[in-house]
Amino acid sequence: MTIRAGVVAVQGDVSEHADAIRRAAASHDETADVVEIRHSGAVPDCDILLLPGGESTTISRLLRDEGIAPEITEHVAAGKPVLATCAGLIVASTDPNDDRVDSLGLIDVTVERNAFGRQKDSFEAPLDVTGLDEPFPAVFIRAPLIDSVGDAEVLAEWDGRPVAVRDGPVVGTSFHPELTDDARIHDLAFFESEVANVVSDLG
Amino acid sequence: MTDETDLEELRRGTELVKRGFAKMQKGGVIMDVVNREQARIAEDVGAVAVMNLEAVPADIRKRGGVARMADPASLREVIDEVSIPVMGKARIGHTKEAQILEATGADMIDESEVLTPADDKYHIDKRDFTSPFVCGARNLGEALRRIDEGAAMIRTKGEAGTGDVNQAVHHQRNIKSAIRKLEGMSHEEREAWARENDAPADLVHETAEMGRLPVVNFAAGGIATPADAALMMHHGCDGIFVGSGIFGAEDPEAMGTAIVEAVNNWDDPETLAEIASNIGEGMKGDANVDLPEEEKMQGRGV
């Protein structure tokens, strides 16, 4: 079966997400047909969406100007899955706590941008994630933290604060699962949950 | 979910974290700014990061004299002003300027030929730093030497402050063409290429196997219009540095907005035509061919 995977590509680490979803699909004997989304019109044909890391100010501005933002909202309203990482999480949140970012309100959380400080404070560390047997190698780059969680499930915490959440079909992480070869977060978002049913129903 | 995450296993400044930062800049425009007001405008028009310096390259050219790291107080002001990453420039080989930039909070350090080199033989040992570095290169050998020293991002040198994109194109073509040749070579031919080009053999093999530089590759040096930015994306760059091109233009906000949009629409000529319309005049600039050899910055630190 082939999954049409849209990687939002207005800015950020797009090719890393494209590689990660191809790897994750292959490990489930499926094929991901990756579409880079830089303009409106492409999202409605996608089964799943990935919102990469990058700069949330730039990404949210271009999503609005290109008319992609409402298409992503409709995708989620239709119950189709999304993985949003770092800047993607900020853009997907209900409240980015910063009027420089227009967020999409897909995940019921309030976030704090650059919560760990500057780039020299960025780090990698093993992280326990609900649903994974072994810790995940999490890479935090000028990462956001989640301040408060509304109607969403916390999947992981760092030092007592949420860094991975699920709200219906949308999974959001403060860290960058696409920067390592470990595809388990992409698995979790698209193949190994109730959402997996959405994907396997596509065939 | 457990709360047993081991804070002891936290690692900062690894190659993954440093190269990862550069990857987050992809598809973006990094703009030179000399003060907080310019930084504010850059963030508002959609820059992914700003590069703080004392004077833009075009003014450094006019002014002459020794060009150094900017006052750390100015870097701090820009850091306080914007939420996007702030980068700073250190002189080639000037380890102390780089340490000061890191201590001040610069998110990335540009070891830059635009400033007057502090060391005529050695670059900074960038692996020693927690912060990621970007370095300029004119060809693949130079790019791989910088990566070997620890650079997490490579940019073309171009010819800064000219507003002439010619040299950025030349350098990007050099890099791409060398990678294509390497891809077709046998193991021993690649080893010989590494020796002939003063490049580390392991990085030569890695580049040949990946079919691209192992780190993010931006364009810089002489990019002055949306069309210039689109041209560099067409040549396979991951993103764009604009130096004097934004704040040297008649209408910096219009020019900045247009360059950001052009990078997202580089392969769509009709949209580019709209983007490039009515944005005021670009920086005046100097054609590279008219520049005396001794005034060129690109030959510094090879």
Side-chain angles (χ1 to χ4, degrees):
Chain A
M1 196 194 80
T2 300
I3 302 162
R4 200 167 172 83
V7 181
V8 173
V10 294
Q11 194 272 314
D13 66 334
V14 174
S15 62
E16 288 71 17
H17 266 290
D19 291 345
I21 189 58
R22 285 194 192 100
R23 273 198 306 273
S27 71
H28 293 270
D29 293 324
E30 289 171 8
T31 308
D33 177 15
V34 174
V35 187
E36 289 193 5
I37 295 163
R38 291 193 278 134
H39 312 288
S40 61
V43 169
D45 295 330
C46 294
D47 302 313
I48 64 172
L49 287 181
L50 300 103
L51 264 169
E55 281 307 313
S56 56
T57 48
T58 307
I59 292 173
S60 75
R61 182 194 171 91
L62 288 166
L63 288 181
R64 184 192 59 204
D65 292 353
E66 296 286 345
I68 301 167
E71 295 181 345
I72 298 174
T73 309
E74 281 171 35
H75 173 96
V76 173
K80 296 188 201 172
V82 176
L83 173 60
T85 66
C86 195
L89 166 68
I90 297 167
V91 171
S93 72
T94 44
D95 185 359
N97 230 330
D98 190 333
D99 58 15
R100 289 174 280 209
V101 179
D102 284 335
S103 71
L104 301 173
L106 310 174
I107 306 176
D108 192 6
V109 291
T110 301
V111 296
E112 180 189 350
R113 296 179 62 208
N114 304 327
F116 293 93
R118 306 208 64 80
Q119 170 59 18
K120 63 183 172 187
D121 306 306
S122 296
F123 62 97
E124 52 177 306
L127 182 73
D128 288 320
V129 180
T130 301
L132 303 185
D133 295 336
E134 298 291 326
F136 189 85
V139 186
F140 292 85
I141 295 178
R142 284 176 49 97
L145 273 168
I146 295 167
D147 266 340
S148 63
V149 181
D151 191 14
E153 176 196 359
V154 176
L155 300 176
E157 286 184 351
W158 175 260
D159 206 12
R161 290 181 70 182
V163 291
V165 285
R166 180 197 292 283
D167 185 348
V170 188
V171 171
T173 64
S174 298
F175 53 94
H176 292 281
E178 72 280 11
L179 287 184
T180 65
D181 289 338
D182 193 325
R184 286 180 294 158
I185 298 288
H186 286 72
D187 274 350
L188 202 69
F190 300 122
F191 299 99
E192 287 172 3
S193 67
E194 289 168 37
V195 173
N197 299 328
V198 179
V199 173
S200 53
D201 284 349
L202 300 171
Chain B
M1 186 186 65
T2 60
D3 209 11
E4 293 162 10
T5 302
D6 191 353
L7 302 184
E8 297 294 308
E9 289 190 58
L10 176 156
R11 292 187 298 149
R12 294 194 175 92
T14 61
E15 195 169 83
L16 182 62
V17 170
K18 292 197 275 191
R19 291 186 179 185
F21 170 82
K23 288 177 178 178
M24 298 313 144
Q25 304 295 306
K26 288 197 296 180
V29 181
I30 301 169
M31 301 182 188
D32 276 5
V33 299
V34 300
N35 56 41
R36 64 194 309 163
E37 290 78 19
Q38 291 185 354
R40 168 89 271 113
I41 293 170
E43 181 172 49
D44 286 345
V45 301
V48 284
V50 291
M51 175 74 69
N52 179 62
L53 63 178
E54 203 166 37
V56 293
D59 292 336
I60 290 175
R61 271 186 191 288
K62 275 185 222 148
R63 179 174 85 177
V66 178
R68 311 181 178 94
M69 171 187 81
D71 184 336
S74 139
L75 178 67
R76 211 170 293 122
E77 276 187 20
V78 170
I79 285 172
D80 290 341
E81 183 68 30
V82 296
S83 65
I84 55 178
V86 179
M87 306 180 178
K89 280 185 195 287
R91 284 181 264 178
I92 289 173
H94 207 312
T95 304
K96 287 296 157 188
E97 281 191 351
Q99 287 173 347
I100 291 167
L101 290 171
E102 177 169 277
T104 309
D107 295 294
M108 181 173 243
I109 298 161
D110 185 358
E111 188 180 17
S112 178
E113 71 282 2
V114 167
L115 306 184
T116 311
D119 191 318
D120 52 16
K121 193 164 177 196
Y122 298 100
H123 279 70
I124 297 167
D125 187 354
K126 294 168 274 290
R127 294 191 187 279
D128 279 352
F129 282 77
T130 306
S131 300
F133 277 73
V134 54
C135 288
R138 295 174 303 168
N139 54 54
L140 183 59
E142 201 174 333
L144 297 181
R145 286 194 290 282
R146 298 295 88 79
I147 295 168
D148 190 48
E149 293 158 0
M153 184 197 243
I154 292 295
R155 54 170 176 75
T156 59
K157 281 182 164 172
E159 190 55 52
T162 59
D164 183 351
V165 77
N166 172 290
Q167 291 300 292
V169 169
H170 184 62
H171 299 159
Q172 185 63 15
R173 277 193 181 276
N174 275 349
I175 291 171
K176 288 297 217 190
S177 153
I179 293 173
R180 276 193 294 273
K181 281 182 199 145
L182 281 179
E183 284 182 283
M185 287 184 193
S186 66
H187 184 88
E188 62 270 30
E189 287 167 342
R190 291 172 184 171
E191 292 276 325
W193 190 96
R195 285 192 297 275
E196 287 158 14
N197 291 276
D198 290 325
D202 54 340
L203 284 173
V204 169
H205 292 298
E206 189 183 352
T207 302
E209 278 152 31
M210 291 175 76
R212 59 155 295 147
L213 283 180
V215 301
V216 167
N217 174 197
F218 266 48
I223 295 150
T225 67
D228 287 350
L231 178 66
M232 297 314 297
M233 296 303 285
H234 165 81
H235 283 302
C237 290
D238 293 314
I240 307 289
F241 282 93
V242 187
S244 325
I246 307 274
F247 293 98
E250 185 186 348
D251 183 346
E253 286 183 78
M255 183 61 77
T257 303
I259 290 179
V260 168
E261 289 174 357
V263 168
N264 189 48
N265 291 283
W266 64 269
D267 54 353
D268 178 356
E270 286 180 18
T271 306
L272 285 176
E274 279 171 40
I275 290 169
S277 298
N278 299 316
I279 52 172
E281 270 185 55
M283 66 179 283
K284 181 175 173 290
D286 300 290
N288 180 66
V289 289
D290 298 334
L291 216 57
E293 220 36 57
E294 66 274 13
E295 287 184 19
K296 292 186 178 173
M297 293 170 169
Q298 59 176 280
R300 297 168 167 178
V302 298

